[in-house]
Amino acid sequence: MDWLARLGASTLESLSALGRATQVLFGAVIAKPQPVKHFPLVVKQMYVVGVQSLLIIIVSGLFIGMVMALQGYTILVDYGAEGSLGPMVALSLLRELGPVVTALLFAGRAGSALTAEIGLMKATEQLSSLEMMAIDPLRRIIAPRLWAGIISMPMLALIFSAVGILGGHLVGVDWLGVDAGSYWSIMQATVEWNEDVLNGVIKSAVFALVVTWISVFKGYDAVPTSEGISKATTETVVYSSLAVLGLDFVLTALMFGIN
Amino acid sequence: MNSRKTELLVGAFVAMAIAAALMLAIHVANQGMESNGETYRLYAKFDNIGGLKERSAVKVGGVTIGRVDSIRLDPSDFTPVVEMTISKQYMEFPETSSVAVLTSGLLGEQYIGFTPGFSFDGIENLQDGDYIEDTKSALVLEDLIGQFLFGRDSE
Amino acid sequence: MKQTDNLVDIKDLTFRRGSRTIYDGISLQVPKGKITAVMGPSGIGKTTLLKLIGGQLRPDSGDILFRGESIPAMRRSRLFKVRRQMSMLFQSGALFTDMTVYDNIAYPLREHTRLEEDIIRTVVLLKLQSVGLRGAAGLMPSELSGGMARRAALARAIALDPDLIMYDEPFAGQDPISMGVLVKLIKQLNDSLGVTSIVVTHDVKEVLSIADYVYILANQKIIGSGTPDEVREDSSELVQQFLQGSADGPVPFHYPADELAKSLMEVR
């Protein structure tokens, strides 16, 4: 009977955490947004979560594009189909790797930092202190971070894909000698704006919402001790990554699977 | 303070993202943007469509004029019907035009090769919703090999 | 008129955290314009009392009146209005770590008023002057010592000229000099601005020197109250143990446990 009770307890705890998380999301995003007053705060947070993630995104995108070109070339060249290298690199980046890898890197780079920052604000009573100043921390602290994440991540994913395609060009065309004309033209013939690029952006926006939401909630809900914050930070990365990979399957099935 | 620097960097970040989107739009997905213009529909029945897929290209002499929109089976005679959307720029094909399922290269993608027919007096142009009568099915490698072998036997 | 004399009036308050009872039916009054001290050993939830007054926590039963208006019964928007009349000095100072001292103090002004930036500048510099930190306006909170951070936080707490200031352990972990400075500041602010102060602390000597009225909390109840002189004469053993800081007494030295001999003999 003990395990049953534990199952019940953990179910109840998960449900109540989900409830609190929804409360945070609604309190921060939906209840009375103040776009004009909060715009500078969003810009500042975009610097923290967006600009400061740029380097890792560009470097990772470049290398992933280069590796894919190398791997793809060795396979395609056996069939004399190295002309298809362009669409292969572009489609995998736009549909999958761009949104997913960006989200995973974002969770590790910016998400964990958000959790730690908000958790520390809670531990040092800054959130309490805002409350006592009659300022809602959900709107002042959480909302700008949430918006900045939601705006920044699709942008990062676009940059990631673009850089990856250039990286593929670097290896495929400049090094392995695939014809530059066919790299671009076959890519153009295959890739569609709505089907491939926009769907990738939509995916990325969904990931952005989920990852940023998990990050700010974990910080806001953290036990305000050093142990609690370190646990919350770890959970942010783990939960975000799992959520991204799981959602990726669902979204892919919805977007590309049913034909 | 350094809030000005922050704003500048965020501006640069947004500009980069826009540049990336533009690059993807122009260099990577050129085709998709163009085909957003007005189109009309043509149908064709084939005995065998081989590896033709939705969104495969429809080409005249290598120039893409449209795409395969859907592929279904005609329930009355169990032959595949291919629905094509053709750009309105290319309206004036005569009824005698023919289509064939072709392959780009030895192992490349399959597409529909569209051959405009001759136009005589009394031959009208294809209209939205028309069927193209003259079709050539895809070449299926197994059938070809079979024909070759049986053809030799009978000699 | 008793109602108007007391800024805060706590009636028969009970508060539980999980199964643990923190307060069991306590009542206390905070007279307007006076310094009221709430003392008690660590870990009995003195900070909780301040959060209850601030409306961050809700009592399980009983009532808390602020100017005769019940805080637990307030709607959120009303509560936010009332909170502008109170401010709280947190134990850690709770300065926002991402802005300078100047911006920290300007922050409540910018959020809650529509003052011009040069008026805000005047106000901020005056507040900083009153805590003696005008020279530190451009520093970041991480560059301040503990005592300076607390003074800066005090300047922020008085930025909007509140009616009530709640001090959460203002003396904890301070060296004798900054402790003396803080004692002087609290007294001075109270006298010059006419604000009401609640000081929650376990530093007996410092607080008795400035408080007008003292409550001593222990075992979920108020065990003694009165003016500092009355409290010093209190006959309760518990109060005397607390005031004198003796190691053993009604509050036992040992955390409840089995007999030592028995614990040692236990076969593991």
Side-chain angles (χ1 to χ4, degrees), chain A residues 76-157:
Chain A
L76 291 173
V77 78
D78 288 346
Y79 302 94
E82 65 266 31
S84 301
L85 189 65
M88 192 205 87
V89 171
L91 285 183
S92 357
L93 277 170
L94 288 168
R95 289 181 173 185
E96 285 298 328
L97 292 172
V100 171
V101 177
T102 304
L104 295 179
L105 290 173
F106 188 91
R109 166 68 186 72
S112 57
L114 278 180
T115 305
E117 188 194 13
I118 295 172
L120 263 172
M121 281 185 165
K122 188 177 183 185
T124 53
E125 297 173 312
Q126 292 181 45
L127 296 185
S128 245
S129 149
L130 276 173
E131 280 254 333
M132 283 308 297
M133 278 182 204
I135 296 163
D136 188 347
L138 282 182
R139 272 151 67 187
R140 179 57 177 66
I141 301 291
I142 307 294
R145 286 167 173 75
L146 206 53
W147 281 118
I150 294 172
I151 298 168
S152 299
M153 204 204 283
M155 290 170 36
L156 289 171

Side-chain angles (χ1 to χ4, degrees), chain C residues 101-103 105-106 109 117-138 155 159:
Chain C
V101 170
Y102 177 92
D103 287 324
I105 292 153
L109 295 164
E117 202 52 37
D118 51 339
I119 299 178
I120 289 182
R121 191 182 139 78
T122 315
V123 175
V124 171
L125 291 182
L126 283 176
K127 300 293 176 192
L128 277 173
Q129 175 76 10
S130 68
V131 297
L133 285 181
R134 194 163 46 81

Side-chain angles (χ1 to χ4, degrees), chain A residues 43 47 187-189 192-193, chain B residues 6 9 27-28 31 55 67:
Chain A
V43 170
Y47 174 75
M187 189 192 294
Q188 281 178 17
E192 292 226 5
W193 179 257
Chain B
T6 308
L9 284 168
H27 282 292
V28 179
Q31 207 73 30
R55 300 205 294 120
R67 291 197 176 272

Side-chain angles (χ1 to χ4, degrees), chain B residues 52 55-59 64 66-68 109-113:
Chain B
L52 199 69
R55 300 205 294 120
S56 293
V58 179
K59 295 182 181 181
T64 305
R67 291 197 176 272
V68 172
E109 286 209 336
Q110 292 197 295
Y111 65 96
I112 290 185

Side-chain angles (χ1 to χ4, degrees), chain A residues 193-204:
Chain A
W193 179 257
N194 288 338
E195 283 277 325
D196 301 316
V197 182
L198 277 191
N199 273 348
V201 172
I202 292 171
K203 255 190 187 181
S204 186

Side-chain angles (χ1 to χ4, degrees), chain C residues 1-13 26-32 36 49 52-53 59 62-72 86 164 196 198 215:
Chain C
M1 286 286 281
K2 198 166 188 274
Q3 201 55 266
T4 49
D5 284 354
N6 295 330
L7 192 66
V8 179
D9 203 339
I10 295 175
K11 288 179 175 162
D12 201 22
L13 173 83
I26 63 166
S27 296
L28 59 86
Q29 287 81 38
V30 179
K32 194 177 274 183
T36 304
L49 184 69
L52 281 162
I53 296 174
D63 207 354
I64 301 160
L65 302 179
F66 182 80
R67 290 183 198 281
E69 199 176 351
S70 167
I71 287 192
M86 38 172 108
L164 172 69
T196 310
I198 303 177
Y215 289 93

Side-chain angles (χ1 to χ4, degrees), chain A residues 195-242:
Chain A
E195 283 277 325
D196 301 316
V197 182
L198 277 191
N199 273 348
V201 172
I202 292 171
K203 255 190 187 181
S204 186
V206 174
F207 295 160
L209 173 67
V210 172
V211 170
T212 325
W213 182 19
I214 291 176
S215 308
V216 294
F217 170 67
K218 279 286 160 198
Y220 192 72
D221 204 48
V223 181
T225 58
S226 46
E227 196 192 6
I229 293 169
S230 86
K231 187 162 158 270
T233 313
T234 312
E235 281 179 354
T236 290
V237 177
V238 173
Y239 290 177
S240 302
S241 309
L242 289 178

